[in-house]
Amino acid sequence: MTGPLADLKVLDLSWVVAGPLIGRALADFGARVVRVESSRRIETARLMQPFHAGRAGPENSALYGNCNAGKLGMTVDLKTEEGRGVVRDLARWADVVVESFSPGQMARWGLDYAELSRDNPSLVMLSTSIAGQSGPWSALAGYGNVGASLSGFQNLVGWEDRPPTGPFGPYTDYVGPRLALVALLAAIENRRHTGKGRHIDVAQVEAGIFFLSPQVAHYGVDGTIARRRGNRDELYAPHGVYPCLPDGGAERFVAVAARDDAEWTRLAEAMDRTDLAERADLRTADRRRAHADFLDEQIARWTSGLRAEDVEKRLQAVGVPAHRSASSADFAADEQLAHRGHLVRLPHPLHGGTTVEGPRYLLSDTPGQVARPAPTLGQDNEFVLREILGYPAERIARLVEDGVLV
């Protein structure tokens, strides 16, 4: 292995998105990450779309492929004592364990930090869950909409006069790993200086709340409760997403914002609406917010006769923030994302090739790389047991025969 984390050994027992993305980032920078799962209870992400060729199946999920690229993979039945023995051996080998089982499950298996650190006192273990390992909500099932609700996002996304729609997908699963990774690297650095291990308890909900700090602080100061605004902004006006001409039968939209009075004037002029630019009752943001419905109607009337990319170019040319609301096709063809290596094509043993995100952190002196696609179920059982744990052939054969490696 190469990279700044080439000496780091990681046992990854996590599920779905929040935990696996932490191990994925470590693997991108050279860590040897062993991902353990079981075919007897298929990892949820393996059953989530999008799928290769549009066919559902445990080896076809692009989501799983993205979250677990760069890792070795093995299957172990943790309901068996022999399987838990394999995991204990991997925890003795590892510098870091990442897990995302429901709080208490690792202890019921005898695999919690107290047990694993007894044999490996310098072990750093990170447990990530929806609400943390202790407290009245610790046993709550960690689904995406629940995490978004607890962190406050569910109630804030949507139109003011309609029920909340919430953010797309498990929002806290995606922001949690960004903060968890920093805490984990700090613990690894502390371990390097002191030789001491540590258990890190990450509550994904708290990571989500961090991104609503202004709203929480506002409530603390004067009791203001943040509310849904649709596409409108608390300060800028106009600020919205407007319909454009369909493209290939698909709806298209463009996002537009005027951050100050000068941008508003240029926006109105780009619309050939000097009558709006000259109106005294629209000259300040305060006044424009009071006429938000009227302004949205005027802008939508203008954009609905144009292609989204034409609105984008016309407004960007005069310094008004605007961009088409990107579709999946736009994303795949985006020149900026391509320039930064956002997507990486890898060979795949079953699909011929697969596409994953590149390393999420672009470091100039120690760049990351995606060394291999996500493992198929049990792909590296033999290698991990023989080469990493040093098991003799007879012991491996017995584990296979006893149905432990599934």
Side-chain angles (χ1 to χ4, degrees):
M1 304 295 289
T2 61
L5 300 179
D7 294 332
L8 191 69
K9 298 170 289 186
V10 181
L11 169 59
D12 187 346
L13 297 168
S14 60
W15 283 60
V16 197
V17 173
L21 281 180
I22 298 170
R24 164 68 202 277
L26 299 175
D28 286 348
F29 290 91
R32 170 165 280 181
V33 182
V34 176
R35 174 81 157 84
V36 172
E37 57 187 311
S38 175
S39 62
R40 287 196 168 150
R41 185 179 179 188
I42 295 291
E43 214 277 53
T44 304
R46 284 187 176 276
L47 305 177
M48 295 175 71
Q49 60 183 354
F51 298 109
H52 279 277
R55 292 194 296 271
E59 301 293 3
N60 296 347
S61 170
L63 175 69
Y64 177 88
N66 188 55
C67 294
N68 295 285
K71 304 176 185 177
L72 298 168
M74 70 176 303
T75 46
V76 177
D77 184 358
L78 286 173
K79 292 183 178 178
T80 66
E81 182 53 40
E82 294 90 342
R84 294 192 289 274
V86 171
V87 168
R88 288 190 192 95
D89 287 343
L90 282 169
R92 292 188 189 97
W93 159 82
D95 302 304
V96 172
V97 172
V98 179
E99 66 89 13
S100 60
F101 288 102
S102 299
Q105 183 57 56
M106 291 290 280
R108 288 191 284 275
W109 280 330
L111 298 173
D112 59 337
Y113 183 70
E115 290 294 328
L116 297 182
S117 63
R118 188 169 297 152
D119 293 333
N120 183 359
S122 62
L123 180 69
V124 175
M125 183 166 168
L126 187 146
S127 298
T128 175
S129 60
I130 197 73
Q133 298 293 307
S134 60
W137 292 105
S138 61
L140 190 68
Y143 295 99
N145 60 341
V146 175
S149 295
L150 279 168
S151 59
F153 285 93
Q154 192 79 18
N155 192 50
L156 286 178
V157 179
W159 301 101
E160 191 172 13
D161 58 348
R162 303 178 202 172
T165 57
F168 176 78
Y171 183 78
T172 56
D173 272 44
Y174 289 97
V175 298
R178 271 64 180 176
L179 300 182
L181 185 62
V182 174
L184 178 59
L185 290 173
I188 293 170
E189 182 65 7
N190 179 71
R191 174 184 184 270
R192 189 169 72 86
H193 290 287
T194 67
K196 294 181 179 178
R198 195 167 302 274
H199 186 207
I200 302 170
D201 174 8
V202 176
Q204 294 157 26
V205 165
E206 292 181 59
I209 292 172
F210 174 78
F211 291 91
L212 289 177
S213 297
Q215 287 75 18
V216 174
H218 202 166
Y219 175 76
V221 169
D222 61 13
T224 297
I225 297 175
R227 56 184 176 83
R228 294 186 294 282
R229 298 177 181 277
N231 289 316
R232 291 177 183 167
D233 185 78
E234 191 173 353
L235 299 175
Y236 302 153
H239 186 286
V241 179
Y242 304 96
C244 296
L245 289 173
D247 183 5
E251 291 182 318
R252 297 312 306 260
F253 299 87
V254 65
V256 178
R259 295 169 294 179
D260 53 36
D261 300 340
E263 285 184 355
W264 156 243
T265 299
R266 295 199 295 275
L267 168 60
E269 291 173 348
M271 296 166 57
D272 293 326
R273 293 295 304 272
T274 53
D275 60 311
L276 296 178
E278 293 171 352
R279 278 180 53 165
D281 62 343
L282 299 177
R283 281 181 187 160
T284 67
D286 283 345
R287 294 177 180 179
R288 290 193 295 276
R289 284 198 300 275
H291 296 283
D293 288 340
F294 169 75
L295 285 175
D296 282 345
E297 180 184 335
Q298 300 304 306
I299 297 172
R301 184 178 300 172
W302 175 63
T303 59
S304 61
L306 298 169
R307 298 188 311 159
E309 53 266 47
D310 292 335
V311 177
E312 173 187 308
K313 290 177 182 175
R314 191 177 300 188
L315 294 182
Q316 288 182 1
V318 296
V320 175
H323 200 284
R324 77 198 79 171
S325 181
S327 67
S328 299
D330 294 327
F331 173 81
D334 191 291
E335 294 178 355
Q336 176 68 14
L337 295 175
H339 171 77
R340 293 175 62 80
H342 191 96
L343 297 177
V344 175
R345 188 72 177 167
L346 300 169
H348 192 280
L350 299 180
H351 305 301
T354 189
T355 300
V356 302
E357 289 181 306
R360 295 298 78 232
Y361 309 93
L362 303 186
L363 307 185
S364 57
D365 291 344
T366 55
Q369 63 173 332
V370 191
R372 53 181 280 171
T376 56
L377 279 165
Q379 179 178 337
D380 301 298
N381 283 1
E382 178 80 14
F383 177 82
V384 172
L385 295 174
R386 190 184 66 243
E387 300 297 329
I388 291 180
L389 295 183
Y391 282 10
E394 297 77 15
R395 184 173 179 183
I396 297 173
R398 191 162 60 251
L399 288 170
V400 172
E401 188 177 312
D402 291 345
V404 175
L405 304 179
V406 294

